[in-house]
């Protein structure tokens, strides 16, 4: 926990110069094959989970697990990228890369959450949405955009948790929540290091350089206001002790959902929009100073606030 | 592999290993799938499922209710509603005669509704009976379904639906067609009142029933081998002159098509419906035992969700257009 | 117009014994290839029509025409079954038989109507939804059901007009409106006579018998409470004078939309549900008398009321 | 055929009959499609469309605005917003240098927004410029789009959007990714305020731009030949090892896939956008001349909607699974 403590207490200081190796290590940890996946958390945090299948339009996409369960005595809805652990399951799950069918199944679950006023928890862990011809023909772009809009409009409380790697629009499709939180050893980025390397370095072998440039660690995302909180993992990482990892997530999740329930629904929806409306950094007019990336929302001054900008 | 990891797909595939065997029994029924013969009570004891090959025989609404309800708590509602003949309809036989013949068999209509308890959850059920004029939906079916929905809204109780129907009842003409809209109104009332609706699609669920309330459940399960379609295979083959594959429209295909949540063995239906109803039941303090539960349960049981994984057929992979060599971004 | 007058004034009397030939003639008129189709009415009743294409999910379905236009100075949304007039266009339009893509395009237009508070007019003219393997695989049943539900929930006023043949769920998918009206020489039925003949008579050649049994004429549908009004056609039928047919429809449509606008939206939605909730005929309890098919809604005692039951 | 019947499909198919010709011109541009050469002003006069083969050349945001706006009514907004370097990002070149080089070409950012009038409708426009870092979406694009939406909500004026983008701006890392969500918030504000949004997809519209506001217009038009995709063909071919057909992701394919409302020639865009904006403009009494209009207009003009019929390709027929011999029920 020492790294986390250091990172957390350092949040208002100068941007920490990220060590190349440290970032790369974070990426490896985020992708560790023994990390708990959504079904592992669901198994530990919920009772009587029932999965839904199919988008009612075209097919079922096993890359996304969607269902309802009981969490601390209340029914909740859960959507998560499920990567698969062994070769067979990875193939079955398509490595956690959803097609439009996946996001549309997710939206179907969101409709159920809306009908029954269920808290929604999303668990994000994907190298990205599936890049396939069929996915494009069936509207991958529109499915991701619609998924974001549907989350934005959902009346019940919503929490998005990055539990592994959160890459590209395929991750953000499930990320437009009241609170966005990252586990300690996870990443959130515009693209995977490999993808960024191929495009920006024109060389698929520069993934480490890309990772160092994107710096997509939880602590940085917290600083940038992209994550509202960082949830500690067991000392050796979530892969070493799934039960403890679930327990640590549970502590955050249970309290946060309870807090969000206390807020009036209209206010909750307005704040959710405001949270994403504010993210960004730019110069304006003659003064060249950087404006804040995102201001902390009024109701959450402590660990659920957005971060301060790096001084420039 | 650490102990917390859920069981992966390939270990979970169950095979049906018993070979079909033919027993010559005089007074019983023969299995259409494997030819095995059963005495009526033998079959009923196994819920109308072939003990040799798991083929699901048709069962009546009263058998369904016996299977679904806890104990003897069933209370039928509005059983006195009966069909009229608004069009004075005659095809090969007058409609009134058809209705009388069907009623004479002991069921009053193609839909039976009532109050019961499912896995401890007080609720309502609406169960179709294919034996009554092919489970066709006329005014009585529409009215009973709507009243059941109203009762759910009044009492806050969930609704379980089991369908088996050839579609709208043609002998009631356009009035039967309108029952589709009427049941959709009922479904929308249930949505507004946040009432859970679990639908089970039995063989066959077609036409106007599939195109109205049957496709609008919050959770939708299908029995193995059930035909689920708006237009039946025969009509499609006649119109398009294409030859359909034998699995066309069957529950297993419709699962791959994303049209149902799971194909569920009849003997597992009450548990499965009960699970959904229990999850969506109001918050109960006695379940809330906090995070301590996590570690206790985590190591002990394999993920039930993981066990429920269907196998990835070549067909589904083709549908999604995903390859096994993917994975890099 | 003499037939119409006779039918209209006869509405509270004994059910008219429909002559076989008369019913068959109505069916032929409803299917006449020179009858105006949706684009013909749109051309006459609207200015600046813009069509939408595609369901954003899978494809575009030319069997349904969906778009917005100006009608008496107000923007409105229109959805109609377009059968196609010559062989090429019939093939292109698939004979006015939509697949799920069509109904989902329709729902997309309904979303636009909801966003912009546009009156919705549907123009029904189809032998039924398309019976094809692909249509079933992509959820034909669910698409029809969802289309009905979406119409039911739409906040702006809605009017459904049967302009030709309205057969099966493929027609009703567009028929769950505040007002359902039929042109004089149109039909509305649970199935086409050919389909009914094949199923009930087990003989595709008994279409005339089936037609006589279904009696799906506008006047009967009005009696049964399925249609709220019958709109006259030109003396020789709509096929003989499309301009006059449009003018006659316009008179009903413009007034009805204006009336519906005057009703509070909550009441409009409740009455729309109530209208379809009431349709049906059954015996209840010991008394064997027939209950009314549908009571007239409170706000429309005159021509827009549902019909009286045939005495029994 | 009576005079009222609208013109049917086969009469309406227009062909491009002019054969491509190659003209050697020194200082101009060559058409990628047919090889024809043009002087810059010659091309601009034809809105950047090849006079020989109708190929659409890329055009700058300022040319777009000249094409779209009535007269000289354009007023740019928030042009002073400029990129920062929150990640201190360097790939082969430092991000700050890339921005400086791009700004030196005269455009401040990849999105230009402002007030204008389109076919008589006072409105806002948001136009992307592929010449500025590949039209990539960073914080400035997100903020300008959001402010334009806010202004639409305040003034009740509609929004026209023209996209041309490689996706999120990678050099701004996850902050660029978040602009997708930010623009979706803006789109949803526009929905709540009932503000019309017409989107035109120009070549290319890919990645995070296609997966956010670009796919969320009320009406969506695409320019001929524009690539429209979330993942580009190269990434797909590398990942799936499948060879894509040349028409993959192009506007014409995406029309058949149901992803866009029409493929519209650039020279017809203002009229088309203006038509939508005019229809959705508030009710205007001067248009309401009642039923008299019907007969007057009916005979005089062919249905514009009918003229817009795309031809039914074999591919589309395959997609829908409909046959030419259908028709019976
Ligand atoms: Zn058997
Ligand atoms: Zn050219």
């Amino acid at each position: 926990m020492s790294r986390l403590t250091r990172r957390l207490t350092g949040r208002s200081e100068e941007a920490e110069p990220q060590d190349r190796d440290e970032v790369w290590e974070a990426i490896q940890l985020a992708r560790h094959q023994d990390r708990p996946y959504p079904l592992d958390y669901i198994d530990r945090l919920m009772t009587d989970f029932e999965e839904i299948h199919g988008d009612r339009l075209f097919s079922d996409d096993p890359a996304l697990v969607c269902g309802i369960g009981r969490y601390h005595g209340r029914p909740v809805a859960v959507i998560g990228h499920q990567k698969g652990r062994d070769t067979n399951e990875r193939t079955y799950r398509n490595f956690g890369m959803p097609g439009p069918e996946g996001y549309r199944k997710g939206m179907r679950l969101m409709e159920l959450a809306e009908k029954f006023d269920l808290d929604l928890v999303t668990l994000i862990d994907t190298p990205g949405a599936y890049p396939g011809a069929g996915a494009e023909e069936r509207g991958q772009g529109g499915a991701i955009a619609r998924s974001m809009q549907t989350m934005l409009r959902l009346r019940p409380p919503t929490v998005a948790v990055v539990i592994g790697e959160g890459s590209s629009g395929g991750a953000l499709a499930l990320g437009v929540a009241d609170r966005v939180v990252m586990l300690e050893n996870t990443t959130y980025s515009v693209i995977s290091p490999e993808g960024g390397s191929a495009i920006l370095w024109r060389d698929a072998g520069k993934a480490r350089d890309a990772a160092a440039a994107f710096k997509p660690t939880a602590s940085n995302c917290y600083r940038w206001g992209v994550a509202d909180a960082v949830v500690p993992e067991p000392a050796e990482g979530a892969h070493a002790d799934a039960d403890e990892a679930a327990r640590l997530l549970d502590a955050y999740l249970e309290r946060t959902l309870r807090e969000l329930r206390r807020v009036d629904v209209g206010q909750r929806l307005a704040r959710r929009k405001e949270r994403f409306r504010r993210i960004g950094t730019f110069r304006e007019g003659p003064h060249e100073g950087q404006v804040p990336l995102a201001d902390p929302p009024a109701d959450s001054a402590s660990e659920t606030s957005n971060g301060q900008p790096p001084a420039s | 592999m650490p102990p917390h990891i859920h069981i992966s797909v390939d270990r979970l595939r169950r095979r049906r290993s018993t070979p079909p065997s033919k027993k010559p029994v005089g007074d019983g029924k023969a299995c259409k799938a494997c030819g095995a013969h059963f005495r009526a009570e033998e079959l009923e004891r196994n819920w109308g499922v072939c003990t040799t090959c798991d083929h699901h025989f048709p069962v009546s609404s009263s058998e369904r209710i016996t299977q679904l309800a806890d104990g003897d708590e069933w209370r039928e509602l509005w059983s006195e509603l009966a069909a009229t003949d608004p069009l004075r309809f005659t095809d090969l036989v007058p409609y009134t005669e058809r209705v009388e013949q069907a009623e004479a068999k002991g069921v009053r209509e193609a839909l039976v509704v009532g109050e019961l308890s499912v896995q401890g959850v007080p609720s309502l059920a609406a169960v179709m009976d294919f034996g009554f004029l092919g489970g066709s939906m006329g005014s009585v079916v529409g009215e009973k379904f709507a009243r059941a929905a109203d009762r759910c809204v009044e009492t806050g109780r969930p609704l379980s639906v089991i369908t088996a129907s050839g579609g709208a009842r043609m002998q009631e003409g356009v009035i039967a067609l309108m029952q589709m809209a009427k049941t959709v109104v009922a479904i929308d009332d249930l949505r507004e009142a946040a009432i859970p609706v679990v639908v089970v699609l039995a063989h066959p669920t077609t036409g106007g029933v599939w195109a109205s309330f049957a496709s609008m459940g919050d959770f939708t399960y299908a029995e193995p081998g059930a035909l689920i379609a708006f237009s039946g295979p025969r009509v499609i083959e006649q119109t398009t002159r294409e030859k359909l594959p034998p699995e066309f429209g069957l529950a297993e295909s419709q699962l791959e098509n994303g049209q149902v949540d799971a194909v569920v063995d009849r003997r597992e239906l009450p548990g499965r419906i009960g699970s959904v109803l229990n999850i969506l039941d109001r918050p109960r303090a006695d379940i809330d035992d906090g995070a301590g539960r996590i570690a206790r349960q985590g190591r002990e049981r394999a993920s039930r969700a993981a066990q429920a994984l269907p196998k990835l057929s070549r067909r589904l992979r083709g549908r999604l257009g995903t390859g096994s060599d993917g994975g890099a971004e």
Side-chain angles (χ1 to χ4, degrees), chain B residues 160-216:
Chain B
S160 301
V161 181
I162 304 179
T163 58
S165 173
R169 187 172 299 171
M170 303 209 179
Q171 292 87 351
E172 294 186 20
V174 73
I175 298 169
L177 182 70
M178 293 298 140
Q179 303 310 305
M180 291 172 65
K182 183 166 178 167
T183 61
V184 172
V185 170
I187 288 283
D188 201 62
D189 286 344
L190 294 168
R191 179 191 59 79
E192 282 182 351
I195 302 292
V197 180
V198 180
V199 173
V200 176
L201 308 166
H203 179 74
T205 296
T206 58
V209 167
W210 173 232
S212 60
F213 65 95
S215 59
M216 303 184 90

Side-chain angles (χ1 to χ4, degrees), chain A residues 269-289:
Chain A
L269 287 168
R271 285 183 194 167
R272 193 186 296 157
K273 276 193 169 179
E274 187 60 17
R275 185 197 181 286
F276 288 92
R277 172 67 179 78
R278 278 168 177 269
I279 297 181
T281 165
F282 45 82
R283 287 173 286 141
E284 183 159 20
H287 69 95
E288 298 279 310

Side-chain angles (χ1 to χ4, degrees), chain B residues 256-277:
Chain B
E256 297 200 344
N257 296 337
Q259 304 298 327
V260 301
D261 290 303
V263 177
V264 179
D265 188 294
R266 184 177 293 158
R267 295 158 294 189
E268 293 168 12
L269 276 175
R272 205 66 184 272
I273 297 171
S275 173
V276 171
L277 299 188

Side-chain angles (χ1 to χ4, degrees), chain B:
Chain B
M1 197 161 80
H4 70 268
I5 289 170
H6 69 263
I7 295 165
S8 61
V9 190
D10 57 344
R11 301 201 192 166
L12 298 167
R13 295 193 185 147
R14 274 180 291 168
R15 285 170 198 290
R16 290 167 181 169
S17 50
T18 328
S21 71
K22 301 203 178 194
K23 303 173 202 164
V25 175
D27 63 333
K29 289 179 185 174
C31 174
K32 280 205 306 190
C34 74
H37 281 252
F38 300 93
R39 272 191 297 272
E41 63 276 16
E42 192 182 359
L43 201 56
E44 199 178 326
R45 225 180 304 124
N46 202 37
W47 288 25
V49 178
C50 175
T51 54
T52 307
C53 76
D54 287 350
H55 171 73
H56 284 49
F57 286 69
V59 287
S60 69
S61 50
S62 63
E63 281 175 279
R64 293 266 180 208
I65 289 155
T66 307
Q67 293 164 12
L68 185 63
D70 302 339
D72 299 323
E73 293 188 53
W74 171 255
R75 192 169 82 84
E76 189 175 345
L77 295 168
W78 309 298
S79 63
E80 69 279 12
L81 290 194
T84 61
D85 183 17
L87 272 64
R88 299 176 194 170
F89 196 95
T90 296
D91 42 71
L92 299 177
V93 180
Y95 177 44
T96 48
E97 273 182 38
R98 287 189 191 275
V99 171
E100 276 165 30
Q101 284 165 13
E103 286 176 348
K105 285 193 259 171
V107 193
R108 275 291 284 247
E109 255 290 348
L111 182 74
V112 173
V113 302
E115 291 172 329
L116 77 176
S117 168
V118 178
Q119 306 283 300
V121 181
S123 50
L124 279 92
V127 180
M128 301 195 84
D129 201 311
F130 195 75
F132 192 101
L133 296 182
S136 59
M137 174 160 69
S139 291
V140 174
V141 170
E143 181 69 16
K144 279 187 171 181
F145 190 86
R147 289 190 189 184
D150 289 348
R151 180 66 59 96
C152 289
V153 172
E154 285 158 21
T155 60
R157 292 182 175 179
L159 179 64
S160 301
V161 181
I162 304 179
T163 58
S165 173
R169 187 172 299 171
M170 303 209 179
Q171 292 87 351
E172 294 186 20
V174 73
I175 298 169
L177 182 70
M178 293 298 140
Q179 303 310 305
M180 291 172 65
K182 183 166 178 167
T183 61
V184 172
V185 170
I187 288 283
D188 201 62
D189 286 344
L190 294 168
R191 179 191 59 79
E192 282 182 351
I195 302 292
V197 180
V198 180
V199 173
V200 176
L201 308 166
H203 179 74
T205 296
T206 58
V209 167
W210 173 232
S212 60
F213 65 95
S215 59
M216 303 184 90
D218 299 315
F219 276 75
T220 308
Y221 298 127
E223 285 196 344
L227 174 68
I228 302 158
F230 179 62
S231 300
R234 205 167 46 101
V235 173
I236 294 174
E237 288 187 337
Q238 280 167 4
T239 311
T240 66
R241 290 164 213 177
E242 59 179 313
K243 180 87 186 102
L244 296 176
E247 74 273 17
F248 169 79
L250 298 193
E252 294 75 9
S253 302
Q254 294 291 32
L255 178 65
E256 297 200 344
N257 296 337
Q259 304 298 327
V260 301
D261 290 303
V263 177
V264 179
D265 188 294
R266 184 177 293 158
R267 295 158 294 189
E268 293 168 12
L269 276 175
R272 205 66 184 272
I273 297 171
S275 173
V276 171
L277 299 188
N278 272 292
I279 290 170
L280 290 173
D281 211 10
R282 277 150 221 295
R284 282 170 299 171
D286 56 303
I287 288 182
D288 189 354
D289 55 356
R293 176 175 40 80
I294 293 160
R296 196 174 70 236
Q297 296 185 341
R299 291 182 208 276
E300 285 162 20
R301 62 183 169 99
S303 162
R304 206 160 54 75
Q307 285 177 12
L309 289 179
K311 63 174 188 283
L312 182 68
S313 73
R314 202 171 307 165
R315 189 161 165 280
L316 176 58
R317 198 171 308 162
R319 246 185 124 57
L320 291 171
T322 58
S324 59
D325 53 352
E329 214 252 349

